[in-house]
Amino acid sequence: MSSKSNNDQTSTSSKEISSSNTLNKAQLLEKEALEYHSQNKPGKIEMISSKPCATEKDLSLAYSPGVAAPCKVIAKDPDKVYDYTSKGNLVAVISNGTAVLGLGNIGPLASKPVMEGKGVLFKQFAGIDVFDIEVNANDPKEFIQAIKTLEPTFGGINLEDIKAPECFEIEETLKKEMNIPVFHDDQHGTAIVSGAALLNACHIVGKELSEIKLVVNGAGASAVACSNIFISLGVKRENILMCDSSGVIYKGRKEGMNKFKEAFANSTEKRTLTQALEGADVFVGLSVAGAVTPEMLLKMNKDPIIFAMANPDPEIEPQKARAARPDAIVATGRSDFPNQVNNVLGFPSIFRGALDTRSTQINETMKLAAVKALASLAREHVPDHVSSTYGGKSFKFGRDYLIPKPFDTRVLLWVAPAVAKAAMESGVARKNIDDWVKYHDQLESFQGPSKSFIRSSINRVHQNTEANGGVKCKIVFPEGNSEKVLKALRSLVEENICEPILIGYPDRVREKIKALELTSLENIPVIQPSQHPKFPSYVQELYKLRQRKGVNLKEAERLMCDPNYFASMMVLMNDADGMVTGSTQNYPDAVKPILQTISVGNEEIVAGCNLILTENNFILLADTTMNLNPDSEDLAKIALQCSRIVEYFGKKPKIAMLSYSNFTASRGTPLKMKIAADLVKQKRPDLIVDGDVQADTAVSVDIIERIFPFCNLKGGANILIFPNLESSNISYKLMQQIGKVEVLGPFLMGLKKSANVLQRTTTVEGIFNSVVMTTLEAQFIKAAREEKSKR
């Protein structure tokens, strides 16, 4: 008795501790959420002007009298509203707060944080602007009337958190009576994402959708929409058993029925969820936590598919489901479990495709296109940048990865075009997309300036390759065994950027490629320096270059076994067009072989530059890596090298020689920068250059116009030349971490051939970007050399 009593006390104590821990976690999350929503400006969204409004002239254009001009044009031609206003990229997220996820009927005011959050997701994942509108109307007719009046303002309507069955009537009526897309995300977003998950789950277990028996628990908006889309995908209506709080919905049932439930009433003797699950292949839960027990799963068919999507807690926890059925595929609505069925995979990209075609609605064809695009994307290789977003965890199509992750940037690039094409094919698009490559680039631009810049650079690479008869540049990689380099190469090969050559021990590199399942790299040449037929001639060439620098023949042979020296020599001897290294080494160690082999161009100096990408422009910073304290002549050379890069990208160079003063030419740094500016003017009178000038002045249109109207840098500089390495390196790294900009590089300038050294902390995406720029530079150098030989 005593022993049993102690055990009971221990058990009770453990339960209390567990409950206390859960409570503490919930309390902590609530505290953090309240702080998150209240810090700085309350809420999560703000309105930012997309046009300048800093001068009297700007004001006269933004408002009266200038604003009358677009008003008159739109009055004559209503379609011009898309050219002169934000309507084509503006969605209303609208709710009356009657069915807020996990909270119930909390009313429109309390639902506002959810609607603001939805707006954040629209912007983050698809570049769509949002106004959240909370309507104080429970009566469907009042609600409908209020929304109909908003059509002139918005390009689309996203209905949110409206209770069933009213939500069906509201959406159906608005779709009929409005000429812009109306989409109830609680219904269709869940249906689209779970539809993609179902397609892939059935593919994995080898079951045909037309043959599966499916149980839906819950008969609200999302349950009805999911069932409808499953039927569109091939599930037979007679094979679906829908359950609500009263049990199975069967033909002849009177209790708690409506016309939407009636559509799924089947002839069956089963009356409970437990009975319904007997012999079922799929369980789809859109109900309440704990609705399913492990015992209920035991009588499901082999390889059951269990979508327990109740939020915040699922119908059955995945651990319990798998303990009862180790052969099960399990998905939930939560991010802390595999296979999260998250609506963010759907609505941003779906609306993007609908807005870009000015569709009058989001129809079934468009929804199914989104389903299939998501399902197809999940079967593709998952890029490293997605893994890094999730703490380095790798993902591969299978039982624990049915659908893409929310932060997979490819979702927009796959789903939006699929939806847009479906809109055009089904006749609801009012604007056709003629150039899908250009549209892809446009979508990438929503994901940040670096995506847009690199995509334009990739397009240039492809154009140059085509002009060269399809011959790609050969880029050599000394770090052939680096996992980051190999993963980047997969994307480079897929994008047809270059012809890669790896340096390393062939057996080890091939083994690494196989272990990483990089099948597209299987035929890439791998060179072991000492075994290469040109090794002796490379040794002789290095000896010739360095014999008066303390390198004898034996030392040259030793150095040539170093992958960096060998790769540099390949570039020097025109056996490769460029090289990229440094992902596993310190910068000085990686750059030294390059400097000792690849010669510097005439009137050049080796220097490092970084590209700072803003939303609408880029700025070049130099010298960020090489010269500790360059003199005026060196600074002028660096500026001239930067100007050629800016010109290559179609911009007019505007060079600022930076200092701590504005136009003083005082002794020390200001004078050095003033002399450098004068030297640039002497060598290239056509260039815009000024200095000494402070950094804020150099990039501020307002400061130049108000205080220094004599300054040459009208509109702001796009090349910033720093007085020394300390200031430039600190600046670019600081901007990289805390600035609202994106930074590419560093890149080497001044060499006769293309070679770049990565930061050791670089990512797979960073390597990809550097190789694209290296290839572009190699093409430019090669073309210039060929042009010179023709003269």
Side-chain angles (χ1 to χ4, degrees), residues 148-166:
K148 280 172 58 180
T149 63
L150 301 174
E151 184 169 340
T153 303
F154 296 99
I157 303 289
N158 183 98
L159 299 174
E160 195 77 17
D161 293 346
I162 304 166
K163 73 183 180 75
E166 288 89 339

Side-chain angles (χ1 to χ4, degrees), residues 127-314:
I128 295 171
D129 297 317
V130 162
F131 288 157
D132 65 291
I133 299 175
E134 293 72 37
V135 180
N136 191 13
N138 287 347
D139 179 76
K141 288 183 173 57
E142 285 181 27
F143 189 90
I144 289 165
Q145 190 55 42
I147 306 314
K148 280 172 58 180
T149 63
L150 301 174
E151 184 169 340
T153 303
F154 296 99
I157 303 289
N158 183 98
L159 299 174
E160 195 77 17
D161 293 346
I162 304 166
K163 73 183 180 75
E166 288 89 339
C167 63
F168 300 118
E169 178 189 346
I170 288 169
E171 188 192 36
E172 283 180 8
T173 305
L174 290 174
K175 283 178 73 173
K176 287 176 185 173
E177 299 185 10
M178 296 183 80
N179 209 30
I180 57 174
V182 178
F183 185 84
H184 186 199
D185 185 51
D186 300 318
Q187 292 184 59
H188 310 298
T190 305
I192 287 164
V193 181
S194 60
L198 182 64
L199 273 180
N200 281 342
C202 287
H203 174 81
I204 289 167
V205 298
K207 293 182 180 181
E208 295 292 330
L209 271 76
S210 60
E211 297 174 2
I212 62 171
K213 294 187 183 301
L214 188 145
V215 175
V216 179
N217 195 46
S222 55
V224 170
C226 285
S227 301
N228 281 326
I229 214 157
F230 296 158
I231 291 168
S232 297
L233 290 169
V235 178
K236 292 179 179 176
R237 185 179 292 271
E238 60 267 28
N239 286 346
I240 296 176
L241 285 183
M242 185 177 285
C243 303
D244 61 9
S245 57
S246 300
V248 174
I249 294 169
Y250 58 89
K251 280 194 181 296
R253 199 183 101 170
K254 304 297 182 186
E255 181 188 355
M257 295 294 286
N258 57 45
K259 66 176 183 177
F260 304 103
K261 293 181 183 180
E262 195 66 50
F264 292 95
N266 274 323
S267 298
T268 178
E269 297 299 318
K270 297 181 178 183
R271 294 294 182 265
T272 66
L273 177 59
T274 302
Q275 292 171 348
L277 286 171
E278 292 177 11
D281 297 287
V282 181
F283 167 76
V284 176
L286 294 152
S287 52
V288 295
V292 175
T293 65
E295 293 74 23
M296 293 164 70
L297 303 179
L298 297 176
K299 292 187 179 180
M300 289 184 73
N301 287 339
K302 185 177 182 295
D303 293 318
I305 297 166
I306 300 164
F307 292 174
M309 297 185 288
N311 259 322
D313 297 310

Side-chain angles (χ1 to χ4, degrees), residues 499-538:
E499 188 179 319
I501 302 167
L502 297 171
I503 307 294
Y505 292 104
D507 290 346
R508 293 182 189 174
V509 175
R510 301 276 180 220
E511 189 178 327
K512 192 73 166 279
I513 288 171
K514 187 176 180 181
L516 294 171
E517 299 181 353
L518 304 175
T519 53
S520 59
L521 307 186
E522 289 173 352
N523 297 320
I524 286 179
V526 183
I527 295 173
Q528 183 178 341
S530 62
Q531 303 302 309
H532 194 267
K534 290 195 175 181
F535 181 78
S537 62
Y538 284 3

Side-chain angles (χ1 to χ4, degrees), residues 304-447:
I305 297 166
I306 300 164
F307 292 174
M309 297 185 288
N311 259 322
D313 297 310
E315 285 81 359
I316 183 169
E317 291 183 5
Q319 304 96 311
K320 292 180 180 179
R322 287 202 177 94
R325 293 299 302 262
D327 59 337
I329 289 179
V330 183
T332 71
R334 287 177 46 157
S335 60
D336 51 348
F337 296 130
N339 296 324
Q340 184 194 14
V341 178
N342 191 325
N343 286 21
V344 78
L345 287 169
F347 68 85
S349 302
I350 292 165
F351 266 97
R352 182 77 271 160
L355 291 174
D356 292 339
T357 51
R358 297 182 191 168
S359 296
T360 55
Q361 61 177 275
I362 296 171
N363 59 25
E364 291 306 305
T365 305
M366 296 160 75
K367 294 172 197 171
L368 288 174
V371 171
K372 290 169 184 175
L374 283 171
S376 298
L377 176 57
R379 302 183 195 189
E380 297 288 313
H381 158 72
V382 181
D384 193 70
H385 74 263
V386 178
S387 299
S388 63
T389 305
Y390 292 89
K393 185 178 180 181
S394 60
F395 301 103
K396 182 181 177 182
F397 180 61
R399 288 172 174 263
D400 285 337
Y401 181 75
L402 296 176
I403 46 178
K405 304 298 285 183
F407 283 98
D408 189 335
T409 54
R410 298 172 304 163
V411 170
L412 178 66
L413 308 180
W414 281 62
V415 176
V419 170
K421 286 176 184 175
M424 290 161 58
E425 290 166 2
S426 61
V428 298
R430 290 183 294 180
K431 177 186 174 185
N432 286 340
I433 294 170
D434 300 316
D435 188 337
W436 292 100
V437 173
K438 187 177 179 181
Y439 183 56
H440 179 278
D441 297 351
Q442 179 187 320
L443 292 174
E444 277 198 325
S445 70
F446 291 123
Q447 299 176 338

Side-chain angles (χ1 to χ4, degrees), residues 490-719:
R490 169 169 41 200
S491 299
L492 290 159
V493 168
E494 289 171 357
E495 288 271 14
N496 287 312
I497 301 300
C498 62
E499 188 179 319
I501 302 167
L502 297 171
I503 307 294
Y505 292 104
D507 290 346
R508 293 182 189 174
V509 175
R510 301 276 180 220
E511 189 178 327
K512 192 73 166 279
I513 288 171
K514 187 176 180 181
L516 294 171
E517 299 181 353
L518 304 175
T519 53
S520 59
L521 307 186
E522 289 173 352
N523 297 320
I524 286 179
V526 183
I527 295 173
Q528 183 178 341
S530 62
Q531 303 302 309
H532 194 267
K534 290 195 175 181
F535 181 78
S537 62
Y538 284 3
V539 170
Q540 288 294 330
E541 186 64 25
L542 182 62
Y543 173 59
K544 182 180 172 183
L545 288 171
R546 306 295 298 173
Q547 60 188 353
R548 293 182 181 274
K549 303 284 185 179
V551 175
N552 58 32
L553 191 59
K554 191 170 183 180
E555 176 67 1
E557 186 173 346
R558 185 189 71 80
L559 290 173
M560 197 46 58
C561 291
D562 182 315
N564 280 314
Y565 274 96
F566 190 87
S568 301
M569 193 58 69
M570 286 187 74
V571 175
L572 177 67
M573 303 300 286
N574 295 324
D575 294 318
D577 300 299
M579 67 177 283
V580 176
T581 187
S583 70
T584 62
Q585 306 159 76
N586 291 325
Y587 194 93
D589 296 332
V591 80
K592 183 179 177 182
I594 294 171
L595 299 178
Q596 291 186 352
T597 51
I598 301 174
S599 57
V600 179
N602 296 329
E603 295 296 313
E604 305 281 344
I605 181 173
V606 178
C609 70
N610 283 79
L611 281 163
I612 306 298
L613 302 174
T614 63
E615 190 171 345
N616 300 311
N617 210 344
F618 69 85
I619 299 173
L620 216 60
L621 272 59
D623 167 21
T624 55
T625 60
M626 295 300 301
N627 300 282
L628 284 172
N629 191 22
D631 60 23
S632 297
E633 192 168 335
D634 287 340
L635 290 168
K637 289 178 181 178
I638 292 168
L640 290 168
Q641 290 166 194
C642 288
S643 70
R644 289 194 288 274
I645 295 173
V646 171
E647 285 173 328
Y648 181 74
F649 285 103
K651 303 282 186 181
K652 187 171 182 62
K654 289 189 281 187
I655 306 163
M657 293 291 183
L658 300 184
S659 179
Y660 56 78
S661 64
N662 280 314
F663 312 110
T664 64
S666 305
R667 183 182 299 176
T669 297
L671 180 59
K672 178 171 80 166
M673 304 312 286
K674 168 71 167 59
I675 294 171
D678 291 341
L679 288 171
V680 171
K681 289 175 187 175
Q682 290 172 23
K683 294 178 181 181
R684 285 278 307 270
D686 60 309
L687 291 178
I688 297 171
V689 58
D690 217 333
D692 56 292
V693 60
Q694 291 180 345
D696 58 344
T697 301
V699 296
S700 172
V701 177
D702 180 54
I703 292 176
I704 291 171
E705 287 183 353
R706 285 190 301 106
I707 306 174
F708 304 107
F710 56 83
C711 177
N712 297 328
L713 303 172
K714 302 291 187 292
N718 53 23
I719 297 173

